[in-house]
Amino acid sequence: GTARKERAPMHGSSDERTRTGMSPESLKRAFVDSMFYVQARYWEVATPHDLYMAAAYTVRDRMLERWIRTAETYRKADARTVCYLSAEYLLGPQLGNNLINLGIVDSARQGARDLGIDLQEILDQEPEPGLGNGGLGRLAACYLDSLATLSIPAIGYGIRYEHGIFDQKIVDGWQVEDCDLWLTNGNPWEIPRPLLRYPVRFGGHTEPYTDEHGRFRVRWVPELDLYGMAYDTPVLGFGNDNTNLLRLWHATAGRSFDLQAFHKGDYYGAVNAKVGAENITKVLYPNDEPEVGKELRLKQQYFFVSCSLQDMVRVHLQHAPNLEGFHERFAAQLNDTHPSIAVAELMRLCLDEHGMDWERAWEITRRTFAYTNHTLLPEALETWPVELFGRLLPRHLEIIYEINARFLDELRMRYPFDPERVARMSLIEEGPVRRVRMAHLATVGSFAVNGVAAIHSELVKSTVLRDFHELWPEKFHNITNGVTPRRFIQLSNPDLCGIITDLAGPGWARDAENLRTLEPHADDAAFQQRWQAMKRAAKERLAARIREATGAVVDPQSLFDIQVKRIHEYKRQHLNLLHIVALYHRIKQGTDSDPTPRTFVFGGKAAPGYFMAKLIIKLIHSVAEVINRDPEVNQRLRVVFVPNFNVKNAECIYPAADLSEQISTAGKEASGTGNMKFSMNGALTIGTLDGANVEIRDAVGHENFFLFGLTVAEVERTLAEGYRPWEYYRSHDELREVIDLLRSGLFSHGDPDLFRPLTDSLLQHDPYLLLADYPAYVEAQARAGDAFRDPAGWTRMSILNAARTGFFSSDRAIREYCRNIWQVEPMPVSLAAGNGSVP
Ligand code: HBZ
């Protein structure tokens, strides 16, 4: 089984305490207690949800002592603190992770068993907080885990969306969105802080005035104000006692608002305004890449940034007379440009509310923020129409204009004969509609800018922020993304966890480089057998889940070839489909040479307004339907789509993969993080030289990775030379036959037009070069299929992948942020010090 280190009781008598003891006995007593006093239920009528809630409160009680002691420690030390500003946190279920980080999984399982309950059934009850779209939001969650684990004083600031990412249903092969209801049955992990609220203002106008020292000042006279209220969620470290804070803001119309508006007699007007205020945190925008530019989205961004900065200012002023040392107290990381309005808001706070002069305010602001870029796609770079911006945030627009005026003056001095460069670098894009360029604001207003994988950071410097890199080369960094081995190995793959712990001891979960202990065993027959059994069991679990969710039956003996991620043309799920149709076609033609039975698994959500992505989902289902029911083919090929890919499903999927599809067009995927989760769980990658694939391949060894496709330079050259996809279609027989099959109506009940938008796009423009990469992809797939028929060789490669991916732990990434960007030191919390008990 899994050898997890049981934590010693915290302090002498804690185990006798119902509310804090960690033994199975005290957990059991506390659980029964919570069922009665918190859920107000007795055994005979307790629902599975009641069991979950009682378990969650039992665990939460055990987190509080650490949490409070941590807050006390940081506060006493006046510790430099990292503030991670992110519009998204894709946390995933909390209970299992908190049991792991408290070190009480075995006690909890034992305690539950004594009561006749299966812990897994309780875990399955939890609705997940899906407060994010995909990689960016999940990265924020992994980073919170690592910050706490590394004992770094840190706060995550974000938005408490009432509805997170939509639930994906599949109806007749099409995606249908359903509202996410994660809060409806209550959220036991959050602590509401009704007294921690800040006003946030919108609209109105600004007016100049002269202050008591005769200085020129500006006053913002807003039109609307509302309040942000804090909801706090504790974030446990693993293997230490630090417990950090995730503070999410909820929008309400405040008391003063009620009094004024209601008492004016306009009751319905007041009611409407109240509803309007609360809309701000209603729902997460489900677009993962292209920016849609909705007014409410800008309101969300400003709302959470304003609350967060006010909160930071409040904390700072507990220790200091003014904002002078603000940047020494805090390092604030902007997770993409979504929170980049923070640059203007901190300036406003310094200038308008704290009477600072411009130069000093600008110095403090620039030394507070650092910015992470997550995309190079031009359509995803955030810009806001000046008109909209000025209407919602007139004072901020003024401040941005002033930042820009001063910045452009500097540029003109430096580049007197290059007005085009100056225009390119402006914070304002000129054109029929003038727009604020948020990436430029973030870059100018930060002391550091980083990309999320080596190749991506180079491309940031040579493409989207090229001029800025020429101006400030030392500002630019790379921090390759990472993922937490606690959730993505220990929690999701207990068998692998057991294997590693037996070899490396329990330390690997805090030091993922210890995974290298596996390496010398890669060829050991007995070890290989254990490894294969682990993989086999994970595949059986996924097969059961697939059967439950879709009714499809898949063979755990077949090669599990998996692509799970948001659906996007640049990620090329349809390239994967072209290969599947080619295999189908070969079997039907009797020309097949790759007899490896395969199960192709897809999963991922499409942005609700992204037609092509939704059509790709339909195509996956249509191809699946034809293949899965054709007896001539379905012994060899199966295709399934796992609906509603989310963190919970992901935990079941990554461990079961043999082959991980990371096949984006080179230069388009900033990093990828699923690629790391697969590899850590012993999947081999078939992939392009894009994002972190490049570093994964170098880490695991080129011979243990199925590489294919154009490089970034080749993609550029191909497009520059006038790419004609039609010529690939004409000259490559199998490719032509595959595309013709899609156009024949075979997969669409005879309707030749259904998939026309996809095939036309491929034949006419093919902006993501699927046809150019097709021959190389199919060839790499053949190599993978061949390799899988040698179990010992494959298992060796699988072990080496897991052994060599320690670098991709988010602990390593956070260490790099701490050292190279934030300049922040660990501050371990000790429960043993002091009396350590709750009074
Ligand atoms: O961020 C992803 C990148 O595509 C991926 O390559 C990278 O690994 C990951 C973490 O760095 N980007 C996103 O997930 N982006 C979003 O989810 C997003 C959300 C809201 C937006 C725009 C993008 O308005």
Side-chain angles (χ1 to χ4, degrees):
T2 58
R4 282 191 201 88
K5 205 178 106 216
E6 198 63 62
R7 292 193 143 271
M10 225 46 55
H11 36 80
S13 61
S14 88
D15 249 300
E16 284 106 62
R17 274 180 231 276
T18 301
R19 290 188 79 86
T20 54
M22 302 286 188
S23 68
E25 201 46 47
S26 39
L27 285 171
K28 213 164 58 187
R29 270 189 287 134
F31 176 74
V32 172
D33 203 52
S34 297
M35 183 62 82
F36 191 91
Y37 288 106
V38 185
Q39 281 308 100
R41 290 279 196 181
Y42 58 95
W43 277 122
E44 287 68 20
V45 300
T47 64
H49 177 256
D50 289 324
L51 296 178
Y52 160 69
M53 291 296 267
Y57 280 110
T58 303
V59 171
R60 192 181 92 173
D61 282 344
R62 278 149 187 77
M63 299 162 69
L64 292 182
E65 187 176 356
R66 293 172 192 229
W67 199 23
I68 289 163
R69 188 50 53 91
T70 301
E72 190 185 3
T73 305
Y74 293 169
R75 190 188 151 108
K76 273 200 188 127
D78 192 10
R80 179 166 166 80
T81 300
V82 174
C83 295
Y84 201 79
L85 299 184
S86 178
E88 305 192 1
Y89 291 90
L90 226 182
L91 297 173
Q94 299 291 286
L95 178 55
N97 198 246
N98 287 335
L99 288 173
I100 284 185
N101 286 16
L102 281 174
I104 57 170
V105 176
D106 294 337
S107 303
R109 185 168 292 121
Q110 182 59 49
R113 197 181 301 129
D114 291 351
L115 291 166
I117 303 165
D118 177 4
L119 180 61
Q120 192 55 46
E121 271 167 40
I122 295 184
L123 293 171
D124 290 343
Q125 284 300 311
E126 181 170 356
E128 70 173 75
L131 310 185
N133 272 286
L136 172 149
R138 183 55 233 177
L139 186 76
C142 284
Y143 283 179
L144 292 183
D145 180 273
S146 286
L147 282 162
T149 297
L150 295 173
S151 308
I152 305 297
I155 303 174
Y157 282 114
I159 301 174
R160 182 180 176 273
Y161 299 105
E162 206 172 310
H163 304 289
I165 187 69
F166 63 84
D167 272 336
Q168 180 192 54
K169 302 273 153 63
I170 301 296
V171 177
D172 187 28
W174 294 97
Q175 167 174 297
V176 174
E177 301 87 24
D178 202 353
C179 190
D180 164 54
L181 296 173
W182 75 289
L183 281 176
T184 36
N185 295 332
N187 172 12
W189 305 107
E190 68 186 8
I191 304 212
R193 303 279 190 202
L195 297 181
L196 239 190
R197 42 207 276 130
Y198 297 100
V200 180
R201 306 179 162 88
F202 289 99
H205 62 276
T206 63
E207 50 191 40
Y209 71 100
T210 310
D211 71 9
E212 66 275 21
H213 309 292
R215 283 182 306 184
F216 174 80
R217 297 254 165 230
V218 177
R219 177 161 45 222
W220 177 16
V221 186
E223 187 174 80
L224 178 74
D225 67 1
L226 46 106
Y227 285 83
M229 175 185 149
Y231 280 78
D232 290 350
T233 301
V235 179
L236 289 169
F238 173 82
N240 64 352
D241 290 327
N242 289 58
T243 298
N244 284 342
L245 166 62
L246 171 61
R247 178 160 285 169
L248 301 179
W249 301 104
H250 168 74
T252 63
R255 242 356 252 153
S256 66
F257 188 96
D258 298 355
L259 294 174
Q260 279 170 26
F262 283 94
H263 290 186
K264 272 192 213 143
D266 178 14
Y267 190 82
Y268 289 106
V271 167
N272 271 341
K274 208 170 161 78
V275 170
E278 307 203 330
N279 274 344
I280 291 195
T281 51
K282 261 302 158 216
V283 52
L284 167 77
Y285 277 94
N287 302 299
D288 70 321
E289 289 290 358
E291 276 305 325
V292 182
K294 290 276 194 290
E295 176 169 332
L296 186 59
R297 165 101 173 141
L298 182 58
K299 280 191 175 166
Q300 289 183 334
Q301 295 181 352
Y302 176 63
F303 166 78
F304 100 86
V305 162
S306 177
C307 292
S308 309
L309 283 174
Q310 290 183 69
D311 198 44
M312 291 159 70
V313 165
R314 175 188 58 86
V315 169
H316 180 73
L317 293 179
Q318 291 173 350
H319 302 269
N322 54 41
L323 293 187
E324 282 298 323
F326 190 80
H327 58 285
E328 281 152 12
R329 185 63 166 61
F330 294 112
Q333 191 68 31
L334 305 174
N335 196 23
D336 213 304
T337 54
H338 316 147
S340 60
I341 184 64
V343 171
E345 175 69 351
L346 183 55
M347 284 299 286
R348 188 188 69 82
L349 292 171
C350 289
L351 295 169
D352 299 359
E353 315 247 317
H354 293 268
M356 214 176 259
D357 64 42
W358 182 280
E359 282 70 24
R360 190 61 193 145
W362 186 233
E363 159 111 13
I364 289 168
T365 299
R366 292 184 90 175
R367 294 173 72 176
T368 297
F369 295 108
Y371 156 54
T372 304
N373 173 287
H374 295 266
T375 186
L376 303 168
L377 299 185
E379 69 272 25
L381 291 175
E382 202 178 18
T383 62
W384 292 102
V386 163
E387 184 278 320
L388 166 62
F389 210 99
R391 188 153 42 79
L392 288 184
L393 301 169
R395 179 61 182 137
H396 297 80
L397 183 60
E398 255 171 36
I399 289 170
I400 288 171
Y401 278 156
E402 181 65 22
I403 295 172
N404 200 34
R406 290 168 183 251
F407 176 53
L408 296 185
D409 278 348
E410 251 176 69
L411 291 178
R412 283 188 207 100
M413 299 248 266
R414 181 153 176 156
Y415 307 108
F417 307 108
D418 198 350
E420 279 165 22
R421 176 191 298 258
V422 176
R424 283 200 305 270
M425 297 179 77
S426 173
L427 305 190
I428 306 296
E429 179 186 296
E430 303 291 339
V433 230
R434 303 174 69 233
R435 307 176 74 91
V436 185
R437 293 164 164 158
M438 301 308 273
H440 292 198
L441 177 62
T443 303
V444 172
S446 294
F447 64 87
V449 176
N450 76 283
V452 290
I455 189 175
H456 169 245
S457 297
E458 287 307 310
L459 290 168
V460 166
K461 292 191 285 185
S462 62
T463 63
V464 287
L465 297 178
R466 175 181 193 141
D467 296 320
F468 293 90
H469 176 245
E470 279 174 27
L471 180 62
W472 298 310
E474 60 304 324
K475 212 182 211 181
F476 287 77
H477 301 255
N478 171 58
I479 314 260
T480 299
N481 283 167
V483 302
T484 172
R486 272 75 64 185
R487 184 176 289 271
F488 291 103
I489 299 179
Q490 194 164 351
L491 178 61
S492 55
N493 199 342
D495 297 338
L496 175 56
C497 172
I499 291 180
I500 303 167
T501 304
D502 284 353
L503 279 189
W508 66 271
R510 276 180 65 87
D511 183 0
E513 284 298 333
N514 288 357
L515 289 169
R516 286 200 190 277
T517 329
L518 299 173
E519 230 180 88
H521 305 269
D523 289 309
D524 174 332
F527 187 76
Q528 282 208 348
Q529 244 176 31
R530 191 171 172 197
W531 193 266
Q532 287 161 355
M534 172 272 289
K535 199 37 104 181
R536 174 69 194 234
K539 289 166 81 172
E540 275 163 11
R541 285 194 298 274
L542 178 59
R545 171 81 61 111
I546 286 172
R547 184 158 195 181
E548 206 180 301
T550 71
V553 178
V554 300
D555 176 6
Q557 209 145 288
S558 62
L559 189 169
F560 275 23
D561 180 334
I562 307 190
Q563 186 170 22
V564 284
K565 50 181 76 241
R566 286 297 288 254
I567 311 292
H568 207 293
E569 285 162 283
Y570 86 76
K571 297 178 187 279
R572 303 201 292 193
Q573 281 91 356
H574 46 336
L575 177 59
N576 188 343
L577 281 168
L578 292 180
H579 170 244
I580 295 171
V581 173
L583 292 181
Y584 165 82
H585 184 55
R586 286 179 204 166
I587 295 174
K588 297 305 272 185
Q589 301 270 296
T591 59
D592 191 20
S593 60
D594 176 6
T596 308
R598 294 208 200 205
T599 299
F600 293 92
V601 179
F602 290 88
K605 294 175 185 178
Y610 187 176
F611 170 73
M612 284 294 210
K614 291 181 134 179
L615 193 56
I616 290 172
I617 292 179
K618 175 64 178 171
L619 181 57
I620 295 169
H621 284 93
S622 303
V623 169
E625 188 184 326
V626 169
I627 287 181
N628 296 352
R629 69 159 182 235
D630 183 338
E632 199 182 343
V633 182
N634 68 16
Q635 295 308 301
R636 299 267 313 285
L637 303 179
R638 290 281 161 117
V639 181
V640 294
F641 186 93
V642 179
N644 204 37
F645 180 59
N646 58 9
V647 178
K648 214 190 240 186
N649 288 326
E651 286 169 10
C652 179
I653 291 172
Y654 294 121
D658 294 307
L659 191 60
S660 152
E661 298 271 350
Q662 307 300 335
I663 61 178
S664 53
T665 316
K668 301 295 182 192
E669 188 70 271
S671 163
T673 42
N675 46 5
M676 302 166 186
K677 297 164 197 168
F678 276 116
S679 202
M680 278 184 179
N681 280 281
L684 275 66
T685 303
I686 181 164
T688 49
L689 284 178
D690 199 17
N693 295 354
V694 177
E695 292 153 84
I696 291 175
R697 174 168 169 265
D698 288 343
V700 304
H702 294 190
E703 65 286 6
N704 303 312
F705 186 109
F706 300 101
L707 177 70
F708 76 96
L710 300 177
T711 61
V712 171
E714 287 162 351
V715 166
E716 277 168 16
R717 202 176 324 126
T718 306
L719 291 173
E721 286 168 357
Y723 173 51
R724 279 178 297 278
W726 184 263
E727 282 169 11
Y728 288 83
Y729 170 82
R730 224 179 27 202
S731 61
H732 193 301
D733 291 341
E734 186 178 77
L735 174 59
R736 189 178 55 254
E737 287 158 18
V738 164
I739 290 182
D740 286 348
L741 277 182
L742 296 180
R743 301 205 294 176
S744 72
L746 171 68
F747 299 106
S748 40
H749 301 277
D751 176 1
D753 292 331
L754 183 60
F755 299 115
R756 268 317 251 265
L758 268 174
T759 51
D760 283 355
S761 165
L762 291 181
L763 293 175
Q764 288 161 19
H765 313 288
D766 191 17
Y768 300 106
L769 298 111
L770 278 79
L771 303 204
D773 270 345
Y774 175 86
Y777 178 56
V778 171
E779 182 271 328
Q781 279 286 17
R783 276 188 279 138
D786 285 343
F788 194 71
R789 266 173 280 128
D790 165 18
W794 185 277
T795 304
R796 172 191 153 79
M797 294 195 285
S798 167
I799 295 168
L800 291 178
N801 264 266
R804 295 171 176 175
T805 36
F807 178 80
F808 301 98
S809 163
S810 46
D811 297 345
R812 184 273 313 154
I814 286 298
R815 277 196 194 95
E816 290 183 11
Y817 276 100
C818 289
R819 239 178 256 142
N820 304 337
I821 303 205
W822 301 328
Q823 318 274 303
V824 60
E825 299 290 328
M827 171 146 309
V829 169
S830 163
L831 288 185
N835 64 15
S837 60
V838 181

